[in-house]
Amino acid sequence: MSGFTLDEVRARTLKERDSWWTVYLVDPIAVRLVRSIAGRTSITPNQLTVVALFLGLGAAVCFAFGYWQLLLLGAALYYVCFLVDCVDGKLARLTGTETIFGAWMDYVSDRFRVLVCVVALMGGQYRETGHVAFVWLALVVVFLDMLRYLNALQVYKVRREMRSHLAAALERARATLSMLEPGGDDTGEATGRGGRTMSDGGEQAVLRHGIGVLEQILRSQNEREARNQRTAGKQPDLTLPKVDLHQEFRSRFPWYQRFWAALNARRIRTHLVGGIEFQVAVFMLAPVAAVLFGPPVIGWITAFVGVLLLAFEIAIIYKLWLSTRDFFRVVDGIDGALRFSGPSDGAEEQGRDTGSDSDSQTIVR
């Protein structure tokens, strides 16, 4: 018998937010498979990753022939492939066997599977119809898949760098406040950098306010995520806390918070058309539709979902741009308080403008 209840598997393996396809059509089956595998077999997540890869290659072989029976079989195999691919990550989280190599293996096999399947699907349709449009369509699918996942990696990198800068700004502010507060010398007067006596009611008050604002930003929307991570047996990110820098975005689009809350209550992310939905449309929906309505429908479905994917990617980039504006307002406000508490001759400010901090902020910009 399994050592985990179904509720325990859900609590420890399901992501806080996921694609609508995964939430409704994959997770209900995947959690039951994970429970059975974890309690009764010695199957490892990496082994499931390999199985998913071979299932994807099997779907590609079916697509390559282009016959309607094999198109249906290929679509079914791709669904099973996606299901197994979801099971491997959930099994790793449930059993505590997540590894860096496993994450790399999962990511590379996903990209390889998409590449092989799109070449096979569009190549098979080109062989059947002779329409060169399917060759161009294959290039479009590969480009959009690459764009989606490269953009996701870069957005994550930029957000992590912003969190790192904010955490560093908080530490600088705390260090400066500790120098301003009295009790550090025998005379009872606090002296700041440059030997200047600091006022408890002036500079310290400004700095305390700045620290409070920054701490609130760094804590925003993190307590719930950290609690969910601990419940799932995962180690929260303690050194670089997640930051909510979407204030300007919410002020421009006040309806977005209600939309986000409605989807979040159902564990659905607001990115409604991403890489997962794109794969589902191209490798499951399009082959089935081609059997019913003919090969040209593959092109129309791919083009339609591709436009939606680009629209959501542009929205993510726009949201990231607004986040960077919020980020620099916060950092500039803290740095302004630090400069106000520093030497009056402006030497430190000049050094900052030409030093490494400026370079690193230029990189974020």
Side-chain angles (χ1 to χ4, degrees), residues 46-47 49-50 97-109:
N46 287 348
Q47 290 172 343
T49 302
V50 174
T97 55
E98 294 174 289
T99 64
I100 296 176
F101 179 76
W104 172 87
M105 186 177 175
D106 185 65
Y107 179 82
V108 172
S109 64

Side-chain angles (χ1 to χ4, degrees), residues 166-185:
L166 286 175
L170 177 61
E171 291 305 314
R172 291 198 305 271
R174 285 171 173 165
T176 303
L177 181 62
S178 67
M179 297 174 64
L180 298 181
E181 289 178 337
D185 50 27

Side-chain angles (χ1 to χ4, degrees), residues 21 75 277-292 297-298 301 305:
W21 169 264
E277 293 80 11
F278 186 64
Q279 292 180 44
V280 168
V282 174
F283 301 125
M284 296 184 216
L285 177 61
V288 174
V291 172
L292 299 175
V297 76
I298 293 179
I301 290 176
V305 74

